Amino acid sequence: MRLENFEPLFIAMNQVGEKKQRFTIEYNGVRAHVLFLADIEPFLLIFGIQGTNEYFELEMTRDFEVNSFFVKELYRKLIEIFNIQYDPDHKFTPNDFLSFVNNNVPEFRNTERVKSSDILRYKRDIEEADKVHFCGWIYHTTKSNAQPPNLEKTRILMGEAAYKRCCERNISSKWTDLIERRTDPDLENFLA
């Protein structure tokens, strides 16, 4: 299913150099943050449920297509999270939810920039998810290598370009839970 209302948001994001934005929806009385990560391929939509911190994610192509066939586990999770009740006159489908999301994508000015902590608040299956502040790079030698979990954390938090550079040059990103140790990644110079 094409979620065409993400396209104007994506265009506006690119005009100001933003790659990650978030907004809030309320579906069936349940509030969720929608995190739109447009700096990885495929794009990623993370749905974080307020109050419970449950989440699920959907991949989106560069053409704003989302697979509307949900595996049984995700379909059941959607029904449970959003308290969907049985209706003999209308069977709930993923398209119902996706249409709602598409129709509630706000204009860019009504969205917020996504921080690493926003992502890790919900997506806990990332290496050292409690360490949300970037604090440097590790340039590996032939005796050590960047590890896949760290590379995936780099991809999700810093984008596809940083991930590819780390893979090409055997570099790991360093993270800390102490805000005072946080440093600016200066991605422009890192990617140059």
Side-chain angles (χ1 to χ4, degrees):
M1 174 176 194
R2 188 166 192 274
L3 304 184
E4 68 274 352
N5 292 335
F6 276 92
E7 187 170 4
L9 175 59
F10 178 72
I11 291 169
M13 288 165 59
N14 280 333
Q15 289 173 342
V16 296
E18 291 292 334
K19 299 295 183 186
K20 297 178 170 107
Q21 290 298 113
R22 78 176 190 166
F23 57 93
T24 302
I25 61 170
E26 187 168 324
Y27 188 73
N28 205 28
V30 177
R31 291 176 54 90
H33 286 127
V34 180
L35 284 61
F36 177 38
L37 310 185
D39 60 347
I40 60 176
E41 296 177 20
F43 295 158
L44 190 62
L45 294 177
I46 296 175
F47 295 85
I49 311 307
Q50 287 185 336
T52 66
N53 286 349
E54 290 182 272
Y55 95 101
F56 61 95
E57 56 190 52
L58 300 172
E59 292 182 346
M60 176 188 283
T61 69
R62 294 191 70 74
D63 293 327
F64 309 99
E65 293 281 341
V66 173
N67 185 352
S68 60
F69 175 78
F70 288 10
V71 295
K72 191 181 293 188
E73 179 181 305
L74 178 56
Y75 180 75
R76 287 183 178 153
K77 188 173 193 173
L78 207 63
I79 288 172
E80 180 182 314
I81 287 173
F82 292 106
N83 304 312
I84 309 294
Q85 301 301 314
Y86 173 73
D87 179 351
D89 297 324
H90 177 76
K91 180 178 172 156
F92 172 77
T93 68
N95 281 348
D96 296 332
F97 177 74
L98 293 173
S99 292
F100 178 85
V101 171
N102 186 53
N103 292 330
N104 286 279
V105 175
E107 293 181 8
F108 175 73
R109 69 174 184 257
N110 296 323
T111 64
E112 300 173 14
R113 174 186 281 172
V114 172
K115 301 177 292 227
S116 297
S117 57
D118 295 329
I119 297 169
L120 296 178
R121 176 179 176 188
Y122 299 111
K123 189 170 177 55
R124 307 294 297 165
D125 60 342
I126 288 183
E127 176 190 61
E128 297 180 320
D130 59 320
K131 295 182 178 181
V132 299
H133 307 290
F134 175 82
C135 63
W137 302 105
I138 299 171
Y139 295 86
H140 294 281
T141 63
T142 56
K143 295 181 180 179
S144 64
N145 289 309
Q147 297 300 304
N150 179 269
L151 293 170
E152 180 61 12
K153 183 173 186 175
T154 303
R155 186 177 86 82
I156 294 295
L157 299 183
M158 303 182 92
E160 199 75 23
Y163 165 77
K164 287 180 180 177
R165 176 60 50 96
C166 286
C167 289
E168 292 165 358
R169 300 205 175 152
N170 198 20
I171 301 170
S172 294
S173 55
K174 286 192 331 186
W175 301 87
T176 181
D177 58 343
L178 303 173
I179 195 166
E180 63 271 11
R181 291 192 180 162
R182 176 183 62 191
T183 61
D184 179 3
D186 191 8
L187 285 176
E188 190 173 315
N189 282 330
F190 180 71
L191 298 173

